[in-house]
């Protein structure tokens, strides 16, 4: 920490989401965004000059060796999550790791092991848990208002949203997968959170690639590289069983001929005492009163600071106090195990039991 006790942050990967994190952490009074690195140096230099970041490193290995840096935000493509996070933890840095934890479960387990040995904070970047409406729903679940949440239907069905066609996003070896890994992981994480931390134990699922290989379904996130290639799924559907008997269905697409759920993200929770329907930035709680169905609307305040501000503050609080982050290392592993099992189930045609052993 610096003399003024501010937490010193280093940004690893200055692309789209690195840029977002810089802006969020710069809003916090007890934090200095002190260093940045990117394999594409001009981008790191550009961000440093735009946001007044004092140090630019040529590599993440150099950045994590800087003793004045307390914590790093890992914003690199998925294939680099494990090597960068492990290197940073071994160098004694706290880590906020972008989703998905890693390109596969084996790499995610290596991160969990490095984290356990480090004694540092490792937090996954799942900002949806900090959305105002989602916080309200979780509060009601924790109070018991929904009873036991035993079934969840969640997903994110984009009609035309393939990001960065041909870049690392659409190459299996670099991304670990398509919409499952990119957007499905957010909905899976949020749903498991609502289900109270019950452990997923088995998965049955199928993936498809009907748009991407034909250069259809292209979205607006990231610049396409038409010299690249596409070998990930563009739609996936899965049933996930939990150790408390609960079930979760997950449907995701980057591209599909549908207007299902208005092509947005959604979660429908079914509990013994009540339920909730979330989507389109709106939320509704459901129950039965006087032998009638009864609903309560949830709307976020207009002046809401937004989920990323709350998530960033939570990370800094965990770094300062040593408390376990809400989006812990084990939550990242749970997501990785489920996603990998969906791919395996699709390949083999069988149900896949999750292997939690480290
Ligand atoms: N939480 C969210 O909602 C959210 C949103 C978008 C992206 N992401 C995640 O953030 C990560 C980055 O995504 P993006 O959209 O910013 O991608 P991006 O391609 O825009 O940025 C990645 C940057 O990392 C740099 N890079 C690559 N390897 C590096 C290395 N070894 N060291 C330093 N820099 C390196 C690249 O040059 C690039 O500038 C991905 O894991 C993605 O899944 C999360």
């Amino acid at each position: 920490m610096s003399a003024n006790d501010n937490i010193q942050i280093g940004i690893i990967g200055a692309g789209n989401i690195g840029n977002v994190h810089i802006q969020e952490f710069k809003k916090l009074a007890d934090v200095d965004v002190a260093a940045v690195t990117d394999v594409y140096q001009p981008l790191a230099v550009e961000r440093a000059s735009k946001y007044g970041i004092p140090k630019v490193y040529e590599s993440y290995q150099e950045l994590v060796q800087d003793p004045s840096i307390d914590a790093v935000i890992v914003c690199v493509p998925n294939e680099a999550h494990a090597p960068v996070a492990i290197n940073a933890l071994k160098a004694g840095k706290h880590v906020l790791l972008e989703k998905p934890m890693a390109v596969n479960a084996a790499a995610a387990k290596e991160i969990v092991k490095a984290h356990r040995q480090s004694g540092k904070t490792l937090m996954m970047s799942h900002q949806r848990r900090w959305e105002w409406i989602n916080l309200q729903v979780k509060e009601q679940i924790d109070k018991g208002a929904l009873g036991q949440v035993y079934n969840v239907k969640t997903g994110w069905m984009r009609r035309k949203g393939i990001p960065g066609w041909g870049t690392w996003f659409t190459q299996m070896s670099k991304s670990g997968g398509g919409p499952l890994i990119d957007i499905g992981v957010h909905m899976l994480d949020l749903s498991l959170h609502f289900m109270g931390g019950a452990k997923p134990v088995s998965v049955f699922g199928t993936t498809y690639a009907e748009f991407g290989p034909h250069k259809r379904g292209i979205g607006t996130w990231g610049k396409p590289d038409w010299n690249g290639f596409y070998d990930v799924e563009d739609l996936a559907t899965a049933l996930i069983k939990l150790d408390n008997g609960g079930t979760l269905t997950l449907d995701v697409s980057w591209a599909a001929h549908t207007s299902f759920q208005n092509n947005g993200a959604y979660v429908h929770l079914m509990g013994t005492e009540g339920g909730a329907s979330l989507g389109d930035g709106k939320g509704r709680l459901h129950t039965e009163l006087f032998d009638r169905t009864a609903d309560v609307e949830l709307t976020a305040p207009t002046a809401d600071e937004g989920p990323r501000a709350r998530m960033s503050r939570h990370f800094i609080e965990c770094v300062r106090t040593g408390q376990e982050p809400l989006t812990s290392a084990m939550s990242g592993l749970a997501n990785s195990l489920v996603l990998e099992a969906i791919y395996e189930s699709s390949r083999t045609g069988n149900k896949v039991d999750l292997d939690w052993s480290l």
Side-chain angles (χ1 to χ4, degrees):
M1 270 175 236
S2 67
N4 65 7
D5 236 19
N6 274 11
I7 300 286
Q8 304 297 301
I9 296 270
I11 303 286
I12 302 179
N16 286 311
I17 207 71
N19 190 36
V20 172
H21 282 295
I22 292 171
Q23 293 175 52
E24 286 298 335
F25 278 97
K26 276 192 75 73
K27 289 181 198 159
L28 302 185
D30 61 344
V31 169
D32 296 326
V33 180
V36 59
T37 185
D38 196 292
V39 282
Y40 182 55
Q41 277 287 290
L43 187 59
V45 171
E46 186 189 318
R47 301 285 193 230
S49 122
K50 180 167 179 192
Y51 296 110
I53 302 170
K55 293 183 195 168
V56 177
Y57 282 104
E58 283 189 5
S59 72
Y60 77 84
Q61 290 93 339
E62 286 172 76
L63 187 149
V64 301
Q65 290 307 322
D66 179 338
S68 72
I69 299 294
D70 302 302
V72 296
I73 322 292
V74 179
C75 312
V76 292
N78 304 347
E79 65 169 335
H81 285 194
V84 173
I86 291 169
N87 205 303
L89 289 164
K90 285 191 172 159
K93 306 303 178 198
H94 304 282
V95 173
L96 177 60
L97 177 56
E98 259 308 338
K99 59 79 198 167
M101 188 172 221
V103 282
N104 55 42
K109 287 181 181 182
E110 291 309 310
I111 298 175
V112 170
K113 285 189 238 170
H115 169 238
R116 288 189 174 175
Q117 282 161 11
S118 72
K120 298 290 166 183
T121 295
L122 174 73
M123 177 167 139
M124 295 303 307
S125 181
H126 279 297
Q127 69 277 4
R128 283 184 177 262
R129 291 203 197 186
W130 280 271
E131 282 175 8
W132 194 89
I133 286 174
N134 296 342
L135 289 170
Q136 306 305 303
V137 170
K138 185 67 167 89
E139 192 182 320
Q140 293 305 320
I141 292 172
D142 291 345
K143 281 184 188 161
L146 274 65
Q148 167 86 14
V149 178
Y150 56 90
N151 183 240
V152 175
K153 298 203 178 303
T154 190
W156 192 337
M157 295 292 290
R158 283 189 192 154
R159 181 164 178 178
K160 188 169 162 41
I162 292 179
W165 193 101
T167 68
W168 70 265
F169 269 105
T170 68
Q171 298 180 21
M172 192 68 172
S173 64
K174 294 195 163 82
S175 60
L180 265 179
I181 287 272
D182 182 34
I183 51 181
V185 66
H186 277 306
M187 306 321 292
L188 175 63
D189 178 76
L190 182 62
S191 300
L192 290 173
H193 174 57
F194 284 144
M195 293 182 93
K199 255 183 165 179
V201 287
S202 65
V203 166
F204 192 56
T206 297
T207 66
Y208 302 87
E210 303 297 339
F211 285 73
H214 309 294
K215 298 185 178 165
R216 294 186 301 171
I218 309 302
T220 49
W221 179 273
K223 222 169 101 191
D225 174 3
W226 301 117
N227 296 316
F229 63 92
Y230 189 106
D231 67 348
V232 294
E233 84 283 0
D234 51 34
L235 184 144
T237 182
L239 174 67
I240 299 142
K241 289 196 173 200
L242 309 186
D243 65 352
N244 66 352
T247 43
L248 199 165
T249 45
L250 175 67
D251 286 286
V252 291
S253 70
W254 272 344
H257 293 306
T258 183
S259 57
F260 185 66
Q261 296 284 333
N262 294 329
N263 303 123
Y266 61 92
V267 185
H268 296 276
L269 305 173
M270 284 148 259
T272 51
E273 306 303 320
S277 298
L278 310 167
D280 286 339
K282 298 190 195 105
R284 191 179 292 176
L285 295 166
H286 310 296
T287 192
E288 191 174 310
L289 278 177
F290 308 113
D291 203 25
R292 304 278 190 285
T293 58
D295 292 349
V296 174
E297 297 282 343
L298 296 169
T299 40
T302 41
D304 183 32
E305 62 180 345
R308 288 186 184 279
R310 288 186 278 269
M311 180 177 79
S312 306
R313 269 206 310 275
H314 179 67
F315 176 62
I316 296 303
E317 191 186 340
C318 292
V319 165
R320 287 198 186 278
T321 64
Q323 78 182 78
E324 184 169 50
L326 201 53
T327 43
S328 64
M330 288 311 279
S331 74
L333 177 59
N335 295 333
S336 285
L337 286 170
V338 169
L339 296 175
E340 182 164 288
I342 296 172
Y343 292 122
E344 192 183 333
S345 178
S346 185
R347 244 185 341 263
T348 62
N350 298 325
K351 170 186 82 115
V352 174
D353 294 327
L354 304 193
D355 174 9
W356 280 87
S357 65
L358 283 176

